[in-house]
Amino acid sequence: MKIGFVLEGGAMRGLYTAGVLDIFMDHEIPVDGMIGVSAGTLFGVNYPSRQRGRALRYNLEHAKKSQYMGIRSLITTGNIINKDYAYYKVPMELDVFDDEAFQKSGIDFYATVTNVETGEAEYIKLDSVFRQMEVIRATSAMPFLSEMIEWDGQKYLDGCIADSVPLQKCMEMGYDKIVVILTRPAGYRKSASNGKMAKRYYKDYPNLVEGICNRHLEYNSTLDLLEELEEQGKIFVIRPSQELYIHRIERNAKRLTAVYDQGIKDAQDQMETLQKYLER
């Protein structure tokens, strides 16, 4: 039996996912493959590396620093999340990511990215977080707030544009049991966005513009499928039991901790049911 995790993004809402995964770690929940999107990838890689609490720890330590993220970084580098500090200095020097443990985990980890030329999602297997840090940047490169990231001759942006919840991809990969971690509460549906900014900003990338404009349709369709499969007992879903009150670029330590703690609580509350699903 193959077990797969699907990890939704959502910028700092991803700390909810970090909390859930830390409880999974406590209970040694097995997994064969993980597909992350944006923050789902950023924080999710700590599961194969077995670094409990790391995602919350380094965000509490660095979120308030202007060299980590914010308007200053956006103006000076074109990226609201600073490349050199957040993606390289922090994981390689200040709060070191255990890339060796990640590589030896035996877990297939895929990062979802959006190809700006085709507007389609691609799923890049991570063999080494350090060697593929630009893929990590690409999956979380928020449109309008980040530069396009080049990898292997292609340009990419945030995977959320093309596939916010890669449930279908996980099913296609042949996983028998699928656990989906969402960062929005039950009943949430995404509203249509004003496409004028996308049409102006990305006028040379019509397929990307189409993806941005239609994102709500794809997202809501996926949630419809997810809820149907969940009701049938074919997948297991953990989602926030209440709304997460947090900004995408959040600096407030209490809000960051509260979102993480909500993930801890919800995972603990559903652990027995999850274990029964996996054993069934």
Side-chain angles (χ1 to χ4, degrees):
M1 181 180 70
K2 290 177 60 180
I3 299 173
F5 292 171
V6 176
L7 313 177
E8 184 181 13
M12 284 302 185
R13 289 200 315 275
L15 284 175
Y16 175 85
T17 300
V20 172
L21 290 176
D22 281 352
I23 293 301
F24 283 13
M25 210 178 298
D26 292 345
H27 289 268
E28 299 184 352
I29 299 300
V31 64
D32 298 285
M34 305 171 70
I35 308 179
V37 186
S38 194
T41 298
L42 287 177
F43 302 150
V45 294
N46 293 292
Y47 194 78
S49 71
R50 310 299 292 178
Q51 290 176 279
R52 192 192 194 284
R54 179 175 175 273
L56 177 64
R57 183 178 65 239
Y58 75 73
N59 276 291
L60 290 178
E61 176 68 23
H62 301 285
K64 289 186 177 181
K65 297 178 181 179
S66 60
Q67 63 266 45
Y68 184 70
M69 65 180 182
I71 297 301
R72 176 183 172 185
S73 178
L74 180 63
I75 293 172
T76 58
T77 72
N79 297 291
I80 198 161
I81 307 295
N82 188 272
K83 170 186 174 180
D84 293 334
Y85 192 89
Y87 289 97
Y88 285 90
K89 191 174 183 64
V90 169
M92 295 182 181
E93 299 178 26
L94 303 180
D95 196 320
V96 178
F97 177 76
D98 193 341
D99 197 39
E100 182 178 358
F102 177 88
Q103 294 178 53
K104 292 180 177 179
S105 68
I107 298 171
D108 294 330
F109 199 111
Y110 297 86
T112 307
V113 295
T114 299
N115 186 309
V116 301
E117 294 286 354
T118 66
E120 298 293 326
E122 295 180 15
Y123 310 89
I124 301 176
K125 187 172 183 295
L126 296 178
D127 298 310
S128 163
V129 168
F130 285 171
R131 292 197 301 270
Q132 295 172 279
M133 189 60 75
E134 291 304 287
V135 176
I136 303 289
R137 290 186 64 219
T139 188
S140 55
M142 292 181 282
F144 313 116
L145 300 175
S146 307
E147 295 178 317
M148 294 178 182
I149 310 299
E150 292 193 26
W151 179 260
D152 199 21
Q154 300 292 322
K155 293 181 179 179
Y156 298 102
L157 280 174
D158 199 322
C160 288
I161 299 169
D163 194 358
S164 296
V165 184
L167 170 62
Q168 191 68 48
K169 183 64 177 178
C170 193
M171 294 169 63
E172 291 172 3
M173 287 179 169
Y175 291 99
D176 304 293
K177 296 284 186 175
I178 297 177
V179 180
V180 183
I181 304 176
L182 300 178
T183 58
R184 294 288 194 180
Y188 174 82
R189 290 297 186 272
K190 190 174 293 295
S191 302
S193 61
N194 188 330
K196 292 182 179 179
M197 184 175 178
K199 292 174 182 177
R200 289 197 304 268
Y201 203 85
Y202 296 118
K203 56 183 176 62
D204 296 329
Y205 301 92
N207 292 324
L208 177 66
V209 172
E210 183 178 359
I212 292 173
C213 293
N214 292 334
R215 183 189 170 199
H216 67 292
L217 299 176
E218 297 296 331
Y219 182 83
N220 294 341
S221 176
T222 297
L223 289 186
D224 290 342
L225 172 63
L226 179 146
E227 291 177 359
E228 179 181 340
L229 294 175
E230 181 185 19
E231 186 174 346
Q232 295 171 1
K234 294 181 178 179
I235 65 173
F236 192 91
V237 182
I238 291 185
R239 53 171 67 82
S241 55
Q242 60 186 36
E243 187 64 56
L244 304 178
Y245 295 102
I246 191 170
H247 299 295
R248 285 197 298 173
I249 307 299
E250 183 63 69
R251 298 174 180 276
N252 185 285
K254 288 184 178 180
R255 292 195 191 107
L256 295 172
T257 303
V259 167
Y260 173 83
D261 288 345
Q262 190 65 52
I264 292 284
K265 180 181 184 302
D266 289 346
Q268 289 173 330
D269 289 346
Q270 298 188 59
M271 183 51 59
E272 183 177 350
T273 309
L274 170 62
Q275 289 172 328
K276 289 180 180 178
Y277 164 77
L278 294 176
E279 293 168 359
R280 196 165 60 233

